[in-house]
Amino acid sequence: MRQLLIVCLYARANERRYKTADFNQQTTQSMSPCPFPRRRHYKEPCYRVAAVGFGLLCILLLAAVTVLATNNTQLQISYNIPNDNFQTNYSNLVKLIDQLQKENAALQKKLADLAKHAQLGWVYFSSSLYFISTEKKSWTDSRQDCSRKGADLVIISSREEQEFIIKQLDGDKAWIGLSDRSTERVWKWVDGTALTTAYWAKGEPNDAGNEEDCAEIWSSADRKGWNDVTCSRKERWICEKLDFQW
Ligand SMILES: [Ca+2]
Ligand SMILES: [Ca+2]
Ligand SMILES: [Ca+2]
């Protein structure tokens, strides 16, 4: 066996490579071309291609990371703006729910209060509750009964209220919270306010016998309106609770 060192010089500079080959069976063959397959044993270009490819891959990865970082920042900025609005809207919604819950609790309390009064015979009209007695008492005793109920004798301050009470009495009569006991012909309501708008029946007040200092309301078909009468007379009475607001 004879070893022969040959140099296979390839045309391209990056393909130079020293190899040892056995030409024991190839003495008659020409030294050219090189007996070593170029692409089978020649590895240096592969490293370079791999290195170049790896370098390109690193550049691409760096570019991708840069793009992703930039997009992430932009997304974060874009996200923070609606996020702030969301927080504000959420806080407002929580406040609204809290307010509605309080209003609902207050309304439930009002409804329970109204139901309790209705069971005791009270009637609601225009922010007030009215109680019309079935018993009969003097004006003073009637007022005391209203006071025990947390109310006072009714103060009639509008035509609508007058008509409502007449309808409730259904032809009967009852005490109202008006008198001139302190000063004759100076009529005042039970809360101390002066009478401004009156709904006296025809010919009233007449202070018959110089002793009529308390007012009652008539509701019969032929006699509707107020009448002054002796305070000691026993009549039905009307209590009013003011400011029963919803
Ligand atoms: Ca009233
Ligand atoms: Ca009088
Ligand atoms: Ca009278």
Side-chain angles (χ1 to χ4, degrees):
M1 180 180 291
R2 182 165 56 93
Q3 296 293 327
L4 178 64
L5 179 67
I6 64 171
V7 176
C8 296
L9 178 65
Y10 291 83
R12 288 172 292 217
N14 60 355
E15 294 180 350
R16 291 195 185 99
R17 183 76 174 171
Y18 291 99
K19 289 293 182 180
T20 300
D22 183 2
F23 281 91
N24 194 32
Q25 301 299 326
Q26 302 178 21
T27 53
T28 60
Q29 294 181 1
S30 171
M31 294 296 291
S32 181
C34 178
F36 302 100
R38 288 175 61 185
R39 301 192 179 280
R40 185 175 178 183
H41 300 291
Y42 200 72
K43 299 181 179 178
E44 185 174 357
C46 296
Y47 292 138
R48 292 198 176 188
V49 170
V52 171
F54 182 74
L56 288 174
L57 182 60
C58 289
I59 293 172
L60 289 174
L61 286 173
L62 180 62
V65 169
T66 303
V67 170
L68 288 174
T70 303
N71 289 340
N72 183 56
T73 302
Q74 291 175 346
L75 286 172
Q76 185 66 37
I77 293 171
S78 300
Y79 176 76
N80 282 339
I81 294 173
N83 190 48
D84 291 343
N85 290 337
F86 175 77
Q87 291 291 346
T88 302
N89 292 337
Y90 179 76
S91 299
N92 291 337
L93 186 61
V94 169
K95 291 178 183 176
L96 179 61
I97 291 173
D98 183 60
Q99 179 184 347
L100 289 176
Q101 286 177 334
K102 289 179 180 176
E103 291 178 358
N104 181 56
L107 183 60
Q108 293 296 327
K109 186 175 181 299
K110 284 281 186 182
L111 284 172
D113 196 19
L114 184 63
K116 183 182 70 177
H117 279 85
Q119 286 181 334
L120 296 174
W122 293 79
V123 180
Y124 176 83
F125 175 77
S126 187
S127 302
S128 288
L129 287 170
Y130 299 87
F131 175 85
I132 301 177
S133 74
T134 53
E135 298 178 78
K136 294 183 178 181
K137 294 180 181 290
S138 68
W139 190 90
T140 301
D141 290 345
S142 297
R143 191 178 181 195
Q144 287 179 349
D145 181 76
C146 290
S147 179
R148 284 193 295 270
K149 290 177 167 60
D152 207 337
L153 286 171
V154 64
I155 296 174
I156 300 174
S157 53
S158 70
R159 171 63 67 181
E160 291 74 20
E161 190 173 19
Q162 167 86 353
E163 295 299 327
F164 166 76
I165 290 171
I166 286 174
K167 186 177 180 180
Q168 294 298 312
L169 283 172
D170 193 22
D172 208 346
K173 56 186 179 181
W175 291 122
I176 62 174
L178 184 67
S179 76
D180 68 344
R181 300 174 83 178
S182 299
T183 304
E184 181 60 31
R185 289 185 292 278
V186 177
W187 292 90
K188 287 187 177 181
W189 292 107
V190 286
D191 65 352
T193 57
L195 176 64
T196 53
T197 303
Y199 302 99
W200 295 108
K202 187 177 181 181
E204 305 296 339
N206 59 2
D207 196 38
N210 296 320
E211 58 180 11
E212 295 186 331
D213 296 335
C214 294
E216 62 180 359
I217 182 172
W218 292 332
S219 67
S220 61
D222 56 340
R223 300 181 76 187
K224 284 188 175 67
W226 304 346
N227 171 47
D228 60 342
V229 70
T230 304
C231 296
S232 59
R233 183 180 294 187
K234 296 185 184 304
E235 301 284 357
R236 297 172 69 187
W237 67 93
I238 306 168
C239 302
E240 179 184 14
K241 281 188 179 181
L242 297 167
D243 300 327
F244 192 84
Q245 302 290 345
W246 289 96

